[in-house]
Every structure is written in C-alpha cells, then in structure tokens.
Amino acid sequence: MKITKVIKRVLIDFLLITGIYLLQTSFLPFLFGSGFCPNLLLILISAMGFIYGSFTGMLSGLYAGLLMDSSASGPFGYYMLIFVVIGYVNGLFTAFYYDDYLTLPMILCVISELIYNASLIFLKFISTGNVDLSYSIKKIVLPEIFFSLLITLLLYRVILHFNRALDYKEDKRGQNVA
Amino acid sequence: MESRISKYILTFLVIICFVIMIISYVRSDVVAPAKNAISTVLTPVQKGLNGFGAGINAGVKELANLKNVSEENESLKKSVEELVEENNKLRAESAELERLRSLYELDNSYMSYEKVAARVIARDSDKWFQMFRIDKGIADGIEPGMNVLSGGGLVGIVTETGNNYSMVRSIIDEESAVYAMSQISADTCLVRGNAQLFEEGLLELANMDKNARINDGDAIVTSNLSTKFLPGLLIGYANGISINSQHLSKSGTLIPVADFDDLREVLIIKQLKADME
C-alpha cells in the first residue's frame, strides 16, 4: 500500500471516529433527550475491525477509547481496553468479509455490545457494589442492542460507500500514473 | 503470521491499558494533562454541537406547541390575575418573614452564595453512569466538590475539573447518596440515586427513622450532616412514605425539583462545604 494512501486513510478514520464521538456525546443526546441509545462509536469500531482487520480495529479502538476515557469518570484506560479488545475480536472475522453480506456484521455487533455492556456492568459492580442484573439487561442492554443493530445496517452502508468511493478514486489515479 | 503479530499487538495494548489504569488509579494527576489536552480541543466543538442539537429540538417542540398556545394564553391570563393577588399577599408575608428572621438572627446566607452559570455540553449516551460535562472549569474558578443546581433544585456535584470543562456526578447516579432532611421537621434521611425508580422520574428516600416526621409532600433539603453538600439546598418533595415491614424504619421516594431529562443550563455554587467551618 502506498504511503499517501495510508496517511489519507488514517486521517479519514481519525476524523470519522472524532466526529462520531462528538455526535454521540454532544449532539444526539441533546436532540433526542436521554432516551437515545444506539452506541455509534461501538458500531464504528466493530465495523472497522471487521472490514480492515485486527490491526486497524485495535488502533481505532485505542483512539475511540481515549476519547471516551477523557470524558468518563472511571479509571482512565478502561474504555481504551474495551475498545481495543472489541476492535481485535471483530478483526478476527475479517477473512469472512464480503461487501454485501450483512448477517455476520450484525452478529458481530451483538457480540461487541455484549462485551461492552458486560465490561460496564463489571465496572459498575466494582464502583457501586450492587447491580440489578435482570433490570439492567431488560432496560439498558436489550434496547441498546436493538437500536445498535438498526444503526449497524445503516452506518455499515455509509462506511462501505465511503471507502468504495475512496478506493475507486485511488485506483483511477493509480492507473493514470501507470 | 499476521494473526500472530495482531496477537502480540493486542497483548501489548492490553498491558499498556492496564498500566495506565493502575497509574491513573494511584495518581489521578498523572493522566489529568492528557484529559485536559483532549478536552481543550473538543470543548469548543461540543459547545457548538450541543447548541445546534438543542436548537433543533427546541424548534421542533416549538412547532408542536404552537397549536396549544392560544388556549394556553387564555388560561395563563387568568392565572396571572390570581398570581398578582397571591404575590401581594406573599410580599406582605415576606416582609414579616424578614422581620422575624432578623429577630431570630437566622443565617440565610445560602441564598446569597456566589454562583456561576454553565452549559451542559456532553452527556453519557449510555445509561450506566449519570455523569455530564459542563463548559466551565478551573479557568472559571470551578473546583471539585462544588454543588450544582438547576431549576431551583440540587442536581449534583463537581467531581473533576479541567481547564475549560468539569465533570458533574448527578444525584440520580447510583453512586450518589446525599444526606438530607425535611425542611419542616429537620428529621434526617438519605437521598439515593436508583436507576429503576428514575424510570418514573423519582429518587430513593432511605435511612429514615420510624419516628421521623416526614410526610408525603414535605420539602426535602440537604442536611448540615453532609460533608459535601451545603445545607438547605432544595432537592425535591417526599412521596410514598411508608413504614418498612420490620417496623424499624421508613422509606419512600422523592420527586426531584430539577428536570434531569432535560438538563441544559446549570448553576454552580462557588462556596465549598469543606471551607465553611
């Protein structure tokens, strides 16, 4: 891969993650009130790991986690850890990645949500000492998974389109040079 | 081959994360500059974005409201007349209160604490923790432990400050517990966050003595017992008080004064409880 392509991709992913983070913490909750629940950042990292493999997934996860940690109250680094692991796990399935096959990304979305929420239940258990498990699952985890699945379908298409357009442009440019 | 490299990287990153976590747990001031740097860049963007989101939200609500406005206007006009009359009555009473206060030399200084207004610029989008971020920080004289109000009621406490932002733990967070008392009888209780109750817009009222004179509708204010909250701040009104089955204590719920679902602007009291004694 050419170095300019790498730089471009890193830059775009960097902006994409930052944008989604801002959207999720500072825009959507104020637009929809506190009832908004799909986890956009998680979906993005999951998709990146799946499309580009573990390495990209982990680095994207590290950056996304850093952003989350900067505005979280728990131990600094906790979200980084969660997102790195999610990026890695999703990257394991990159060999089965086909453009128009949506079942696997949706399964991976659910797996990622489960890892994420299990980690947060654990953190909450450590910090408060008690978690009402059945209530939390019913009221927080399940709605979040449901909405995240919906958004996965949508966001997945957008990322795919975005990257295809980029690939197409680069291929064309490559041909011109050759 | 590549998967093996990935595994090494994963192990490396996981170890790094654990090291950072341990360091931040032992000495939180080490990671503060990193948090500060990120927030310094992001805060202005967050300010703009949430204003935009809130603006759209307000616009949509306004459109929906427009239909009811004329009806509401009629009824409001009526209530204005009633309120004017009531206001006159209250003014007379307030003069009397003033006189009595000076008579008793009651300290009503909490009314005149210096306050700073701030905007809520980011919220946890997931519901595990009830923290939010405001756009004022060290530069505006905000310190951890300062009490945060909104709509006339207690909202939370500043837990962490950066240059141009602070984190606030809301009293609806399950980690939060506030020593409180009935404004009328001064009998103490504890106001705790409870996710399940908050679905219905309530907080938990606990640790009440079985003989405590706290009844439904009583105003619950912060107690002087608290080491973090200034005394006399209104939290909400008692609701559904009942004696527990063992007849040892009472419990109930509290209807908060502040609207936690729609927090936009908050007031921070610059007086710290720790500095008061």
Side-chain angles (χ1 to χ4, degrees), chain A residues 24 26 31 34 71 116-117, chain B residues 57 121 125-126 128 133 261:
Chain A
Q24 186 170 331
S26 291
L31 189 59
S34 55
S71 64
Y116 180 82
N117 282 302
Chain B
N57 185 308
I121 53 169
S125 56
D126 44 29
W128 291 110
R133 189 194 273 231
D261 266 334

Side-chain angles (χ1 to χ4, degrees), chain B residues 242-260:
Chain B
S242 62
I243 293 181
N244 290 355
S245 52
Q246 294 96 341
H247 283 272
L248 291 171
S249 61
K250 277 182 182 178
S251 66
T253 56
L254 176 123
I255 305 167
V257 175
D259 181 1
F260 290 93

Side-chain angles (χ1 to χ4, degrees), chain B residues 94-112:
Chain B
S94 136
E96 192 185 350
L97 180 71
E98 208 59 40
R99 195 170 50 79
L100 287 173
R101 265 208 185 124
S102 59
L103 215 59
Y104 278 101
E105 288 177 352
L106 277 182
D107 179 23
N108 65 340
S109 59
Y110 71 85
M111 303 287 192
S112 53

Side-chain angles (χ1 to χ4, degrees), chain B residues 26-41:
Chain B
V26 180
R27 286 193 54 186
S28 57
D29 53 321
V30 178
V31 291
K35 275 189 168 184
N36 226 332
I38 297 169
S39 303
T40 308
V41 179

Side-chain angles (χ1 to χ4, degrees), chain A residues 22 24-27 29-31 34 55 69-73 76 88 116-117 120-121 124 128 132 135, chain B residues 7 9 21 24 35 46 50 52 57 120-121 123 125-126 128 133 167 174-175 195-196 199 261 264:
Chain A
L22 288 171
Q24 186 170 331
T25 56
S26 291
F27 183 66
F30 293 87
L31 189 59
S34 55
F55 182 69
D69 274 323
S70 77
S71 64
S73 56
F76 194 89
Y88 175 77
Y116 180 82
N117 282 302
L120 287 183
I121 289 175
K124 183 147 188 166
T128 59
D132 186 345
Y135 170 80
Chain B
K7 249 178 220 164
I9 297 171
M21 262 191 275
S24 82
K35 275 189 168 184
Q46 287 179 320
N50 83 70
F52 185 48
N57 185 308
V120 179
I121 53 169
R123 275 206 293 241
S125 56
D126 44 29
W128 291 110
R133 189 194 273 231
M167 297 294 296
E174 294 194 308
E175 251 184 85
Q196 210 157 339
E199 287 271 303
D261 266 334
R264 299 271 156 82

Side-chain angles (χ1 to χ4, degrees), chain B:
Chain B
M1 184 61 199
E2 202 187 326
S3 74
R4 186 180 289 171
I5 296 173
S6 294
K7 249 178 220 164
Y8 288 142
I9 297 171
L10 176 72
T11 322
F12 174 72
L13 289 178
V14 166
I15 291 170
I16 291 271
C17 288
F18 270 107
V19 170
I20 293 174
M21 262 191 275
I22 291 165
I23 292 175
S24 82
Y25 185 73
V26 180
R27 286 193 54 186
S28 57
D29 53 321
V30 178
V31 291
K35 275 189 168 184
N36 226 332
I38 297 169
S39 303
T40 308
V41 179
L42 292 184
T43 301
V45 189
Q46 287 179 320
K47 266 192 203 177
L49 265 179
N50 83 70
F52 185 48
I56 296 176
N57 185 308
V60 171
K61 270 188 191 161
E62 211 166 275
L63 277 179
N65 281 342
L66 220 54
K67 285 180 190 166
N68 311 324
V69 164
S70 62
E71 256 175 60
E72 212 179 322
N73 196 17
E74 283 297 310
S75 69
L76 280 178
K77 269 183 192 155
K78 251 180 224 164
S79 62
V80 163
E81 283 166 26
E82 284 166 25
L83 284 173
V84 166
E85 203 183 310
E86 205 180 323
N87 192 20
N88 288 338
K89 207 177 95 195
L90 284 176
R91 250 190 218 161
E93 279 176 8
S94 136
E96 192 185 350
L97 180 71
E98 208 59 40
R99 195 170 50 79
L100 287 173
R101 265 208 185 124
S102 59
L103 215 59
Y104 278 101
E105 288 177 352
L106 277 182
D107 179 23
N108 65 340
S109 59
Y110 71 85
M111 303 287 192
S112 53
Y113 292 139
E114 190 190 347
K115 299 187 190 84
V116 184
R119 267 168 58 186
V120 179
I121 53 169
R123 275 206 293 241
D124 273 353
S125 56
D126 44 29
K127 294 174 183 162
W128 291 110
F129 300 95
Q130 297 288 351
M131 305 278 301
F132 58 89
R133 189 194 273 231
I134 53 174
D135 66 347
K136 294 278 161 72
I138 295 169
D140 309 279
I142 308 296
E143 285 174 44
M146 285 181 175
N147 298 177
V148 181
L149 308 175
S150 172
L154 184 70
V155 167
I157 190 162
V158 175
T159 55
E160 201 186 303
T161 48
N163 259 340
N164 56 356
Y165 78 97
S166 308
M167 297 294 296
V168 178
R169 185 196 294 122
S170 162
I171 55 170
I172 57 174
D173 190 280
E174 294 194 308
E175 251 184 85
S176 162
V178 185
Y179 272 116
M181 63 181 187
S182 158
Q183 198 172 35
I184 302 169
S185 65
D187 285 337
T188 58
C189 55
L190 197 66
V191 175
R192 268 204 299 247
N194 182 317
Q196 210 157 339
L197 283 175
F198 188 68
E199 287 271 303
E200 303 152 41
L202 301 170
L203 281 89
E204 187 184 342
L205 209 54
N207 285 26
M208 273 178 282
D209 192 80
K210 70 168 188 252
N211 298 319
R213 287 157 298 164
I214 299 178
N215 300 310
D216 288 8
D218 284 2
I220 302 294
V221 298
T222 47
S223 152
N224 213 2
L225 287 176
S226 170
T227 52
K228 288 176 180 163
F229 291 95
L230 300 162
L233 303 175
L234 183 62
I235 309 174
Y237 298 95
N239 176 47
I241 304 281
S242 62
I243 293 181
N244 290 355
S245 52
Q246 294 96 341
H247 283 272
L248 291 171
S249 61
K250 277 182 182 178
S251 66
T253 56
L254 176 123
I255 305 167
V257 175
D259 181 1
F260 290 93
D261 266 334
D262 202 25
L263 278 182
R264 299 271 156 82
E265 269 111 29
V266 293
L267 286 175
I268 302 128
I269 302 180
K270 287 180 99 173
Q271 171 74 44
L272 281 170
K273 175 74 203 263
D275 296 342
M276 276 179 76
E277 273 85 35

Side-chain angles (χ1 to χ4, degrees), chain A residues 133-143:
Chain A
L133 211 56
S134 67
Y135 170 80
S136 302
I137 289 172
K138 209 169 75 191
K139 288 287 178 179
I140 303 180
V141 182
L142 289 182

